[in-house]
Amino acid sequence: MARPERRNAMTGRTWTALAHIGQTLPESVRIVVVKGDGPSFSAGIDLAMFSPEGVEGERSLMRDLRDGDPDHSALADTIASYQEGFLWLRDPGIVSIASVRGHAIGAGFQLALSCDLRVLADDARMCMKEPALGLVPDLTGTKPLVETVGVSRALELCLTAREVPAEEARELRLAEVVVDGASLDATVDDLVAGLLATPAEAATATKELIRQAPGNTLEEQAEAERRAQIGRLAALARGGDG
Ligand code: ACO
């Protein structure tokens, strides 16, 4: 994100552009690092999106609401198109890393949560601001939040909309690692190098397995492991990358 003068506040166009990146990502890309220019990861949604005028050149959420049909299907479609910008970051073929310095608020926090891994600078502060603004978090962040911190802590964080400092984020497992700000980029580079050292197809198959584990019974997961391993062994026997 490259809008530091607005603390990387995001608009609908940011999310449809993100979705486009996901849809057109070359197959050779294995790691995606999401970061923001300037002192903040992202201040979340551009607050102008809630004004009747909206953001110049973009659909206004409020106009969609006013002009929409009683089911608000146009608005639901608009939100779905925004969510596409976040969903692909979980794809098994890549590992996504949020590199977070400063504030990750609202949609910014949800963007960080959409990534597989989070590396935080020690000045990072995460906040699920939506409920405080009369909204709900709707950019696919509630599931990873609950899966990471549990229902009770997720409720507390969302309903107080308090800022979670970096060290607490690490304790809550919202961050894999916290480093001083000067070391953030080098730490992410090292992590990328470590991830790239694992063969691509094995990494993809393993991510697929790990991602499905929370929704599977033990028996289902054991079966998935067998299936995946047979695929791996067959690839190794064919002389694939393993
Ligand atoms: N939307 C639009 N403009 C923003 C946003 C935003 N979300 N956040 C910051 N800006 C603008 C400010 O208005 C300011 O503009 P100005 O220079 O014309 O006055 C500029 O970016 C810099 O912001 P500051 O507040 O001066 O920067 P600071 O580093 O002191 O604070 C912080 C950063 C904490 C992120 C603060 O700007 C803030 O609280 N922003 C609003 C956060 C918010 O409520 N986001 C919505 C969450 S809900 C959701 O995302 C769905």
Side-chain angles (χ1 to χ4, degrees), residues 3-7 9-10 15 39-40 42-48 50 103 105-108 110 129-130 133 135-136 138-139 163:
R3 207 184 169 207
E5 73 286 357
R6 291 268 149 211
R7 300 298 181 264
M10 299 183 279
W15 300 324
S40 302
S42 170
I45 196 168
D46 190 319
L47 294 169
F50 297 128
H103 283 92
I105 301 183
Q110 294 192 70
K129 186 77 175 285
E130 287 83 345
L133 300 178
L135 303 165
V136 298
D138 67 342
L139 295 167
E163 289 188 357

PDB file of all heavy atoms in Angstrom, residues 3-7 9-10 15 39-40 42-48 50 103 105-108 110 129-130 133 135-136 138-139 163, ligand 1:
ATOM      1  N   ARG A   3       0.066   4.850   0.131  1.00  0.00           N
ATOM      2  CA  ARG A   3      -0.655   6.105   0.324  1.00  0.00           C
ATOM      3  C   ARG A   3      -0.357   6.633   1.733  1.00  0.00           C
ATOM      4  O   ARG A   3      -1.267   6.826   2.542  1.00  0.00           O
ATOM      5  CB  ARG A   3      -2.156   5.800   0.176  1.00  0.00           C
ATOM      6  CG  ARG A   3      -3.003   6.933  -0.291  1.00  0.00           C
ATOM      7  CD  ARG A   3      -4.468   6.515  -0.284  1.00  0.00           C
ATOM      8  NE  ARG A   3      -5.338   7.609  -0.479  1.00  0.00           N
ATOM      9  CZ  ARG A   3      -6.591   7.657  -0.020  1.00  0.00           C
ATOM     10  NH1 ARG A   3      -7.095   6.619   0.650  1.00  0.00           N
ATOM     11  NH2 ARG A   3      -7.336   8.714  -0.232  1.00  0.00           N
ATOM     12  N   PRO A   4       0.946   6.823   2.004  1.00  0.00           N
ATOM     13  CA  PRO A   4       1.338   7.137   3.389  1.00  0.00           C
ATOM     14  C   PRO A   4       0.712   8.417   3.916  1.00  0.00           C
ATOM     15  O   PRO A   4       0.468   8.531   5.113  1.00  0.00           O
ATOM     16  CB  PRO A   4       2.868   7.239   3.320  1.00  0.00           C
ATOM     17  CG  PRO A   4       3.183   7.445   1.880  1.00  0.00           C
ATOM     18  CD  PRO A   4       2.107   6.777   1.097  1.00  0.00           C
ATOM     19  N   GLU A   5       0.438   9.364   3.010  1.00  0.00           N
ATOM     20  CA  GLU A   5      -0.126  10.646   3.487  1.00  0.00           C
ATOM     21  C   GLU A   5      -1.531  10.465   4.060  1.00  0.00           C
ATOM     22  O   GLU A   5      -2.013  11.317   4.803  1.00  0.00           O
ATOM     23  CB  GLU A   5      -0.097  11.704   2.362  1.00  0.00           C
ATOM     24  CG  GLU A   5      -1.100  11.523   1.223  1.00  0.00           C
ATOM     25  CD  GLU A   5      -0.756  10.380   0.248  1.00  0.00           C
ATOM     26  OE1 GLU A   5       0.298   9.738   0.405  1.00  0.00           O
ATOM     27  OE2 GLU A   5      -1.577  10.150  -0.670  1.00  0.00           O
ATOM     28  N   ARG A   6      -2.170   9.359   3.727  1.00  0.00           N
ATOM     29  CA  ARG A   6      -3.489   9.008   4.307  1.00  0.00           C
ATOM     30  C   ARG A   6      -3.349   7.760   5.180  1.00  0.00           C
ATOM     31  O   ARG A   6      -4.331   7.048   5.411  1.00  0.00           O
ATOM     32  CB  ARG A   6      -4.521   8.738   3.211  1.00  0.00           C
ATOM     33  CG  ARG A   6      -4.930   9.941   2.434  1.00  0.00           C
ATOM     34  CD  ARG A   6      -6.163  10.616   3.031  1.00  0.00           C
ATOM     35  NE  ARG A   6      -6.119  12.034   2.780  1.00  0.00           N
ATOM     36  CZ  ARG A   6      -6.635  12.972   3.566  1.00  0.00           C
ATOM     37  NH1 ARG A   6      -7.255  12.635   4.662  1.00  0.00           N
ATOM     38  NH2 ARG A   6      -6.535  14.233   3.272  1.00  0.00           N
ATOM     39  N   ARG A   7      -2.130   7.474   5.586  1.00  0.00           N
ATOM     40  CA  ARG A   7      -1.838   6.303   6.433  1.00  0.00           C
ATOM     41  C   ARG A   7      -2.359   5.017   5.783  1.00  0.00           C
ATOM     42  O   ARG A   7      -2.870   4.123   6.436  1.00  0.00           O
ATOM     43  CB  ARG A   7      -2.416   6.470   7.848  1.00  0.00           C
ATOM     44  CG  ARG A   7      -1.874   7.676   8.596  1.00  0.00           C
ATOM     45  CD  ARG A   7      -0.362   7.581   8.800  1.00  0.00           C
ATOM     46  NE  ARG A   7       0.161   8.738   9.551  1.00  0.00           N
ATOM     47  CZ  ARG A   7       0.690   9.822   8.984  1.00  0.00           C
ATOM     48  NH1 ARG A   7       0.797   9.908   7.657  1.00  0.00           N
ATOM     49  NH2 ARG A   7       1.136  10.801   9.722  1.00  0.00           N
ATOM     50  N   ALA A   9      -4.939   4.469   4.077  1.00  0.00           N
ATOM     51  CA  ALA A   9      -6.387   4.229   4.130  1.00  0.00           C
ATOM     52  C   ALA A   9      -6.786   3.603   2.792  1.00  0.00           C
ATOM     53  O   ALA A   9      -6.260   3.955   1.743  1.00  0.00           O
ATOM     54  CB  ALA A   9      -7.133   5.537   4.358  1.00  0.00           C
ATOM     55  N   MET A  10      -7.705   2.653   2.859  1.00  0.00           N
ATOM     56  CA  MET A  10      -8.040   1.859   1.669  1.00  0.00           C
ATOM     57  C   MET A  10      -9.460   2.157   1.194  1.00  0.00           C
ATOM     58  O   MET A  10     -10.357   2.401   1.996  1.00  0.00           O
ATOM     59  CB  MET A  10      -7.915   0.368   1.996  1.00  0.00           C
ATOM     60  CG  MET A  10      -6.498  -0.019   2.408  1.00  0.00           C
ATOM     61  SD  MET A  10      -6.311  -1.789   2.716  1.00  0.00           S
ATOM     62  CE  MET A  10      -6.952  -1.936   4.373  1.00  0.00           C
ATOM     63  N   TRP A  15      -9.265  -2.661  -2.847  1.00  0.00           N
ATOM     64  CA  TRP A  15      -9.603  -4.077  -2.655  1.00  0.00           C
ATOM     65  C   TRP A  15      -9.851  -4.776  -3.984  1.00  0.00           C
ATOM     66  O   TRP A  15      -9.508  -5.945  -4.127  1.00  0.00           O
ATOM     67  CB  TRP A  15     -10.809  -4.194  -1.712  1.00  0.00           C
ATOM     68  CG  TRP A  15     -10.498  -3.579  -0.382  1.00  0.00           C
ATOM     69  CD1 TRP A  15      -9.284  -3.619   0.263  1.00  0.00           C
ATOM     70  CD2 TRP A  15     -11.358  -2.794   0.438  1.00  0.00           C
ATOM     71  NE1 TRP A  15      -9.359  -2.918   1.444  1.00  0.00           N
ATOM     72  CE2 TRP A  15     -10.610  -2.409   1.583  1.00  0.00           C
ATOM     73  CE3 TRP A  15     -12.688  -2.387   0.338  1.00  0.00           C
ATOM     74  CZ2 TRP A  15     -11.156  -1.626   2.607  1.00  0.00           C
ATOM     75  CZ3 TRP A  15     -13.234  -1.619   1.364  1.00  0.00           C
ATOM     76  CH2 TRP A  15     -12.475  -1.250   2.477  1.00  0.00           C
ATOM     77  N   PRO A  39       4.530   5.433   8.140  1.00  0.00           N
ATOM     78  CA  PRO A  39       4.542   5.001   9.545  1.00  0.00           C
ATOM     79  C   PRO A  39       3.455   4.001   9.917  1.00  0.00           C
ATOM     80  O   PRO A  39       3.526   3.397  10.983  1.00  0.00           O
ATOM     81  CB  PRO A  39       4.332   6.314  10.318  1.00  0.00           C
ATOM     82  CG  PRO A  39       3.608   7.207   9.367  1.00  0.00           C
ATOM     83  CD  PRO A  39       4.081   6.836   7.996  1.00  0.00           C
ATOM     84  N   SER A  40       2.418   3.836   9.078  1.00  0.00           N
ATOM     85  CA  SER A  40       1.312   2.927   9.432  1.00  0.00           C
ATOM     86  C   SER A  40       1.188   1.826   8.388  1.00  0.00           C
ATOM     87  O   SER A  40       1.343   2.079   7.187  1.00  0.00           O
ATOM     88  CB  SER A  40      -0.024   3.677   9.454  1.00  0.00           C
ATOM     89  OG  SER A  40      -0.006   4.737  10.355  1.00  0.00           O
ATOM     90  N   SER A  42      -1.840   0.258   7.853  1.00  0.00           N
ATOM     91  CA  SER A  42      -3.025   0.854   7.219  1.00  0.00           C
ATOM     92  C   SER A  42      -4.011   1.341   8.274  1.00  0.00           C
ATOM     93  O   SER A  42      -4.295   0.638   9.244  1.00  0.00           O
ATOM     94  CB  SER A  42      -3.735  -0.153   6.312  1.00  0.00           C
ATOM     95  OG  SER A  42      -4.991   0.385   5.898  1.00  0.00           O
ATOM     96  N   ALA A  43      -4.538   2.536   8.024  1.00  0.00           N
ATOM     97  CA  ALA A  43      -5.567   3.117   8.907  1.00  0.00           C
ATOM     98  C   ALA A  43      -6.948   2.589   8.566  1.00  0.00           C
ATOM     99  O   ALA A  43      -7.946   3.147   9.013  1.00  0.00           O
ATOM    100  CB  ALA A  43      -5.538   4.637   8.809  1.00  0.00           C
ATOM    101  N   GLY A  44      -7.022   1.528   7.763  1.00  0.00           N
ATOM    102  CA  GLY A  44      -8.325   0.912   7.490  1.00  0.00           C
ATOM    103  C   GLY A  44      -9.060   1.595   6.355  1.00  0.00           C
ATOM    104  O   GLY A  44      -8.457   2.245   5.493  1.00  0.00           O
ATOM    105  N   ILE A  45     -10.364   1.447   6.380  1.00  0.00           N
ATOM    106  CA  ILE A  45     -11.162   1.989   5.283  1.00  0.00           C
ATOM    107  C   ILE A  45     -11.008   3.503   5.241  1.00  0.00           C
ATOM    108  O   ILE A  45     -10.894   4.161   6.284  1.00  0.00           O
ATOM    109  CB  ILE A  45     -12.653   1.600   5.466  1.00  0.00           C
ATOM    110  CG1 ILE A  45     -13.425   1.812   4.176  1.00  0.00           C
ATOM    111  CG2 ILE A  45     -13.290   2.360   6.613  1.00  0.00           C
ATOM    112  CD1 ILE A  45     -14.823   1.180   4.195  1.00  0.00           C
ATOM    113  N   ASP A  46     -10.974   4.039   4.032  1.00  0.00           N
ATOM    114  CA  ASP A  46     -10.983   5.488   3.878  1.00  0.00           C
ATOM    115  C   ASP A  46     -12.340   5.979   4.353  1.00  0.00           C
ATOM    116  O   ASP A  46     -13.376   5.600   3.793  1.00  0.00           O
ATOM    117  CB  ASP A  46     -10.752   5.857   2.403  1.00  0.00           C
ATOM    118  CG  ASP A  46     -10.522   7.349   2.227  1.00  0.00           C
ATOM    119  OD1 ASP A  46     -11.227   8.138   2.904  1.00  0.00           O
ATOM    120  OD2 ASP A  46      -9.651   7.715   1.425  1.00  0.00           O
ATOM    121  N   LEU A  47     -12.323   6.783   5.400  1.00  0.00           N
ATOM    122  CA  LEU A  47     -13.584   7.174   6.043  1.00  0.00           C
ATOM    123  C   LEU A  47     -14.502   7.921   5.077  1.00  0.00           C
ATOM    124  O   LEU A  47     -15.716   7.973   5.294  1.00  0.00           O
ATOM    125  CB  LEU A  47     -13.296   7.992   7.310  1.00  0.00           C
ATOM    126  CG  LEU A  47     -12.603   7.159   8.413  1.00  0.00           C
ATOM    127  CD1 LEU A  47     -12.085   8.054   9.537  1.00  0.00           C
ATOM    128  CD2 LEU A  47     -13.549   6.086   8.970  1.00  0.00           C
ATOM    129  N   ALA A  48     -13.943   8.448   3.984  1.00  0.00           N
ATOM    130  CA  ALA A  48     -14.776   9.118   2.980  1.00  0.00           C
ATOM    131  C   ALA A  48     -15.759   8.135   2.338  1.00  0.00           C
ATOM    132  O   ALA A  48     -16.781   8.554   1.778  1.00  0.00           O
ATOM    133  CB  ALA A  48     -13.892   9.759   1.903  1.00  0.00           C
ATOM    134  N   PHE A  50     -17.795   6.348   3.707  1.00  0.00           N
ATOM    135  CA  PHE A  50     -19.079   6.374   4.426  1.00  0.00           C
ATOM    136  C   PHE A  50     -19.845   7.677   4.195  1.00  0.00           C
ATOM    137  O   PHE A  50     -20.963   7.818   4.665  1.00  0.00           O
ATOM    138  CB  PHE A  50     -18.858   6.177   5.928  1.00  0.00           C
ATOM    139  CG  PHE A  50     -18.251   4.843   6.262  1.00  0.00           C
ATOM    140  CD1 PHE A  50     -17.129   4.746   7.054  1.00  0.00           C
ATOM    141  CD2 PHE A  50     -18.814   3.662   5.773  1.00  0.00           C
ATOM    142  CE1 PHE A  50     -16.571   3.514   7.361  1.00  0.00           C
ATOM    143  CE2 PHE A  50     -18.257   2.428   6.068  1.00  0.00           C
ATOM    144  CZ  PHE A  50     -17.133   2.354   6.860  1.00  0.00           C
ATOM    145  N   HIS A 103       0.141   1.469  12.870  1.00  0.00           N
ATOM    146  CA  HIS A 103      -1.248   1.038  13.053  1.00  0.00           C
ATOM    147  C   HIS A 103      -1.732   0.087  11.960  1.00  0.00           C
ATOM    148  O   HIS A 103      -1.434   0.277  10.783  1.00  0.00           O
ATOM    149  CB  HIS A 103      -2.165   2.263  13.078  1.00  0.00           C
ATOM    150  CG  HIS A 103      -2.117   2.994  14.382  1.00  0.00           C
ATOM    151  ND1 HIS A 103      -1.251   4.046  14.626  1.00  0.00           N
ATOM    152  CD2 HIS A 103      -2.809   2.801  15.542  1.00  0.00           C
ATOM    153  CE1 HIS A 103      -1.411   4.473  15.869  1.00  0.00           C
ATOM    154  NE2 HIS A 103      -2.354   3.733  16.445  1.00  0.00           N
ATOM    155  N   ILE A 105      -5.482  -0.878  11.480  1.00  0.00           N
ATOM    156  CA  ILE A 105      -6.797  -0.592  12.066  1.00  0.00           C
ATOM    157  C   ILE A 105      -7.897  -1.101  11.134  1.00  0.00           C
ATOM    158  O   ILE A 105      -7.809  -0.927   9.907  1.00  0.00           O
ATOM    159  CB  ILE A 105      -6.973   0.926  12.287  1.00  0.00           C
ATOM    160  CG1 ILE A 105      -5.874   1.452  13.212  1.00  0.00           C
ATOM    161  CG2 ILE A 105      -8.350   1.243  12.867  1.00  0.00           C
ATOM    162  CD1 ILE A 105      -5.994   2.927  13.548  1.00  0.00           C
ATOM    163  N   GLY A 106      -8.928  -1.677  11.711  1.00  0.00           N
ATOM    164  CA  GLY A 106     -10.109  -2.062  10.944  1.00  0.00           C
ATOM    165  C   GLY A 106      -9.743  -2.936   9.751  1.00  0.00           C
ATOM    166  O   GLY A 106      -9.202  -4.044   9.905  1.00  0.00           O
ATOM    167  N   ALA A 107     -10.028  -2.438   8.550  1.00  0.00           N
ATOM    168  CA  ALA A 107      -9.715  -3.200   7.345  1.00  0.00           C
ATOM    169  C   ALA A 107      -8.222  -3.523   7.272  1.00  0.00           C
ATOM    170  O   ALA A 107      -7.826  -4.546   6.695  1.00  0.00           O
ATOM    171  CB  ALA A 107     -10.151  -2.418   6.103  1.00  0.00           C
ATOM    172  N   GLY A 108      -7.390  -2.656   7.860  1.00  0.00           N
ATOM    173  CA  GLY A 108      -5.946  -2.918   7.886  1.00  0.00           C
ATOM    174  C   GLY A 108      -5.623  -4.127   8.748  1.00  0.00           C
ATOM    175  O   GLY A 108      -4.789  -4.972   8.386  1.00  0.00           O
ATOM    176  N   GLN A 110      -7.759  -6.516   9.377  1.00  0.00           N
ATOM    177  CA  GLN A 110      -8.315  -7.679   8.676  1.00  0.00           C
ATOM    178  C   GLN A 110      -7.393  -8.118   7.526  1.00  0.00           C
ATOM    179  O   GLN A 110      -7.272  -9.317   7.244  1.00  0.00           O
ATOM    180  CB  GLN A 110      -9.705  -7.357   8.141  1.00  0.00           C
ATOM    181  CG  GLN A 110     -10.721  -7.124   9.253  1.00  0.00           C
ATOM    182  CD  GLN A 110     -12.135  -7.089   8.718  1.00  0.00           C
ATOM    183  OE1 GLN A 110     -12.673  -8.104   8.290  1.00  0.00           O
ATOM    184  NE2 GLN A 110     -12.727  -5.906   8.726  1.00  0.00           N
ATOM    185  N   LYS A 129     -11.663  -1.807  14.726  1.00  0.00           N
ATOM    186  CA  LYS A 129     -12.395  -0.578  15.037  1.00  0.00           C
ATOM    187  C   LYS A 129     -13.859  -0.623  14.603  1.00  0.00           C
ATOM    188  O   LYS A 129     -14.674   0.187  15.062  1.00  0.00           O
ATOM    189  CB  LYS A 129     -11.656   0.558  14.303  1.00  0.00           C
ATOM    190  CG  LYS A 129     -12.084   1.979  14.544  1.00  0.00           C
ATOM    191  CD  LYS A 129     -11.577   2.498  15.864  1.00  0.00           C
ATOM    192  CE  LYS A 129     -11.903   3.972  16.087  1.00  0.00           C
ATOM    193  NZ  LYS A 129     -11.052   4.864  15.301  1.00  0.00           N
ATOM    194  N   GLU A 130     -14.207  -1.559  13.720  1.00  0.00           N
ATOM    195  CA  GLU A 130     -15.528  -1.501  13.082  1.00  0.00           C
ATOM    196  C   GLU A 130     -16.690  -1.369  14.058  1.00  0.00           C
ATOM    197  O   GLU A 130     -17.557  -0.505  13.885  1.00  0.00           O
ATOM    198  CB  GLU A 130     -15.729  -2.733  12.175  1.00  0.00           C
ATOM    199  CG  GLU A 130     -14.929  -2.708  10.884  1.00  0.00           C
ATOM    200  CD  GLU A 130     -13.501  -3.187  11.050  1.00  0.00           C
ATOM    201  OE1 GLU A 130     -13.022  -3.285  12.192  1.00  0.00           O
ATOM    202  OE2 GLU A 130     -12.856  -3.463  10.023  1.00  0.00           O
ATOM    203  N   LEU A 133     -17.522   1.939  15.281  1.00  0.00           N
ATOM    204  CA  LEU A 133     -18.095   2.847  14.286  1.00  0.00           C
ATOM    205  C   LEU A 133     -19.514   2.426  13.891  1.00  0.00           C
ATOM    206  O   LEU A 133     -20.072   2.917  12.916  1.00  0.00           O
ATOM    207  CB  LEU A 133     -17.199   2.890  13.030  1.00  0.00           C
ATOM    208  CG  LEU A 133     -15.760   3.363  13.256  1.00  0.00           C
ATOM    209  CD1 LEU A 133     -14.962   3.305  11.953  1.00  0.00           C
ATOM    210  CD2 LEU A 133     -15.737   4.775  13.820  1.00  0.00           C
ATOM    211  N   LEU A 135     -20.310  -0.653  12.930  1.00  0.00           N
ATOM    212  CA  LEU A 135     -20.230  -1.636  11.836  1.00  0.00           C
ATOM    213  C   LEU A 135     -19.840  -3.001  12.381  1.00  0.00           C
ATOM    214  O   LEU A 135     -19.640  -3.165  13.580  1.00  0.00           O
ATOM    215  CB  LEU A 135     -19.168  -1.174  10.824  1.00  0.00           C
ATOM    216  CG  LEU A 135     -19.380   0.201  10.225  1.00  0.00           C
ATOM    217  CD1 LEU A 135     -18.110   0.687   9.556  1.00  0.00           C
ATOM    218  CD2 LEU A 135     -20.546   0.178   9.236  1.00  0.00           C
ATOM    219  N   VAL A 136     -19.704  -3.967  11.476  1.00  0.00           N
ATOM    220  CA  VAL A 136     -19.067  -5.237  11.834  1.00  0.00           C
ATOM    221  C   VAL A 136     -17.834  -5.404  10.946  1.00  0.00           C
ATOM    222  O   VAL A 136     -17.783  -4.831   9.857  1.00  0.00           O
ATOM    223  CB  VAL A 136     -20.011  -6.461  11.634  1.00  0.00           C
ATOM    224  CG1 VAL A 136     -21.232  -6.357  12.543  1.00  0.00           C
ATOM    225  CG2 VAL A 136     -20.419  -6.618  10.172  1.00  0.00           C
ATOM    226  N   ASP A 138     -16.125  -7.035   8.133  1.00  0.00           N
ATOM    227  CA  ASP A 138     -16.729  -7.840   7.052  1.00  0.00           C
ATOM    228  C   ASP A 138     -15.737  -8.141   5.937  1.00  0.00           C
ATOM    229  O   ASP A 138     -16.127  -8.495   4.833  1.00  0.00           O
ATOM    230  CB  ASP A 138     -17.955  -7.126   6.468  1.00  0.00           C
ATOM    231  CG  ASP A 138     -17.576  -5.846   5.737  1.00  0.00           C
ATOM    232  OD1 ASP A 138     -16.455  -5.346   5.978  1.00  0.00           O
ATOM    233  OD2 ASP A 138     -18.383  -5.358   4.930  1.00  0.00           O
ATOM    234  N   LEU A 139     -14.451  -7.968   6.211  1.00  0.00           N
ATOM    235  CA  LEU A 139     -13.470  -8.212   5.146  1.00  0.00           C
ATOM    236  C   LEU A 139     -12.669  -9.480   5.453  1.00  0.00           C
ATOM    237  O   LEU A 139     -11.464  -9.522   5.344  1.00  0.00           O
ATOM    238  CB  LEU A 139     -12.593  -6.969   4.943  1.00  0.00           C
ATOM    239  CG  LEU A 139     -13.418  -5.772   4.414  1.00  0.00           C
ATOM    240  CD1 LEU A 139     -12.636  -4.472   4.516  1.00  0.00           C
ATOM    241  CD2 LEU A 139     -13.874  -6.003   2.966  1.00  0.00           C
ATOM    242  N   GLU A 163      -6.740  -0.871  21.103  1.00  0.00           N
ATOM    243  CA  GLU A 163      -5.521  -1.110  20.339  1.00  0.00           C
ATOM    244  C   GLU A 163      -4.689  -2.178  21.050  1.00  0.00           C
ATOM    245  O   GLU A 163      -4.440  -2.077  22.247  1.00  0.00           O
ATOM    246  CB  GLU A 163      -4.703   0.172  20.205  1.00  0.00           C
ATOM    247  CG  GLU A 163      -5.362   1.174  19.269  1.00  0.00           C
ATOM    248  CD  GLU A 163      -4.467   2.372  18.976  1.00  0.00           C
ATOM    249  OE1 GLU A 163      -3.355   2.474  19.542  1.00  0.00           O
ATOM    250  OE2 GLU A 163      -4.905   3.221  18.175  1.00  0.00           O
TER     251      GLU A 163
HETATM  252  N1  ACO B   1      -9.541   7.551   6.139  1.00  0.00           N
HETATM  253  C1  ACO B   1      -9.226   8.708   5.551  1.00  0.00           C
HETATM  254  N2  ACO B   1      -8.191   9.489   5.936  1.00  0.00           N
HETATM  255  C2  ACO B   1      -7.418   9.045   6.946  1.00  0.00           C
HETATM  256  C3  ACO B   1      -7.680   7.830   7.600  1.00  0.00           C
HETATM  257  C4  ACO B   1      -8.797   7.057   7.164  1.00  0.00           C
HETATM  258  N3  ACO B   1      -9.102   5.881   7.712  1.00  0.00           N
HETATM  259  N4  ACO B   1      -6.750   7.654   8.578  1.00  0.00           N
HETATM  260  C5  ACO B   1      -5.940   8.715   8.517  1.00  0.00           C
HETATM  261  N5  ACO B   1      -6.341   9.565   7.543  1.00  0.00           N
HETATM  262  C6  ACO B   1      -5.744  10.833   7.178  1.00  0.00           C
HETATM  263  C7  ACO B   1      -5.937  11.870   8.271  1.00  0.00           C
HETATM  264  O1  ACO B   1      -7.218  12.497   8.155  1.00  0.00           O
HETATM  265  C8  ACO B   1      -4.795  12.820   8.009  1.00  0.00           C
HETATM  266  O2  ACO B   1      -5.152  13.672   6.957  1.00  0.00           O
HETATM  267  P1  ACO B   1      -4.718  15.240   6.998  1.00  0.00           P
HETATM  268  O3  ACO B   1      -3.205  15.198   6.909  1.00  0.00           O
HETATM  269  O4  ACO B   1      -5.372  15.807   5.783  1.00  0.00           O
HETATM  270  O5  ACO B   1      -5.198  15.774   8.298  1.00  0.00           O
HETATM  271  C9  ACO B   1      -3.685  11.889   7.512  1.00  0.00           C
HETATM  272  O6  ACO B   1      -4.341  10.691   7.070  1.00  0.00           O
HETATM  273  C10 ACO B   1      -2.683  11.501   8.579  1.00  0.00           C
HETATM  274  O7  ACO B   1      -3.429  11.015   9.702  1.00  0.00           O
HETATM  275  P2  ACO B   1      -3.063  11.400  11.215  1.00  0.00           P
HETATM  276  O8  ACO B   1      -4.242  11.083  12.052  1.00  0.00           O
HETATM  277  O9  ACO B   1      -2.557  12.802  11.264  1.00  0.00           O
HETATM  278  O10 ACO B   1      -1.851  10.393  11.447  1.00  0.00           O
HETATM  279  P3  ACO B   1      -1.355   9.738  12.812  1.00  0.00           P
HETATM  280  O11 ACO B   1      -0.129   8.990  12.445  1.00  0.00           O
HETATM  281  O12 ACO B   1      -1.300  10.760  13.893  1.00  0.00           O
HETATM  282  O13 ACO B   1      -2.507   8.703  13.232  1.00  0.00           O
HETATM  283  C11 ACO B   1      -4.038   6.881  12.850  1.00  0.00           C
HETATM  284  C12 ACO B   1      -2.699   7.551  12.475  1.00  0.00           C
HETATM  285  C13 ACO B   1      -3.963   6.385  14.309  1.00  0.00           C
HETATM  286  C14 ACO B   1      -4.193   5.703  11.903  1.00  0.00           C
HETATM  287  C15 ACO B   1      -5.205   7.879  12.743  1.00  0.00           C
HETATM  288  O14 ACO B   1      -5.080   8.569  11.477  1.00  0.00           O
HETATM  289  C16 ACO B   1      -6.569   7.262  12.797  1.00  0.00           C
HETATM  290  O15 ACO B   1      -7.060   6.906  13.864  1.00  0.00           O
HETATM  291  N6  ACO B   1      -7.248   7.113  11.605  1.00  0.00           N
HETATM  292  C17 ACO B   1      -8.613   6.644  11.519  1.00  0.00           C
HETATM  293  C18 ACO B   1      -8.687   5.125  11.737  1.00  0.00           C
HETATM  294  C19 ACO B   1     -10.078   4.580  11.503  1.00  0.00           C
HETATM  295  O16 ACO B   1     -11.024   4.866  12.224  1.00  0.00           O
HETATM  296  N7  ACO B   1     -10.230   3.745  10.442  1.00  0.00           N
HETATM  297  C20 ACO B   1     -11.463   3.095  10.107  1.00  0.00           C
HETATM  298  C21 ACO B   1     -11.508   1.702  10.745  1.00  0.00           C
HETATM  299  S1  ACO B   1     -12.971   0.780  10.365  1.00  0.00           S
HETATM  300  C22 ACO B   1     -12.636  -0.046   8.905  1.00  0.00           C
HETATM  301  O17 ACO B   1     -11.529  -0.067   8.443  1.00  0.00           O
HETATM  302  C23 ACO B   1     -13.747  -0.782   8.174  1.00  0.00           C
END
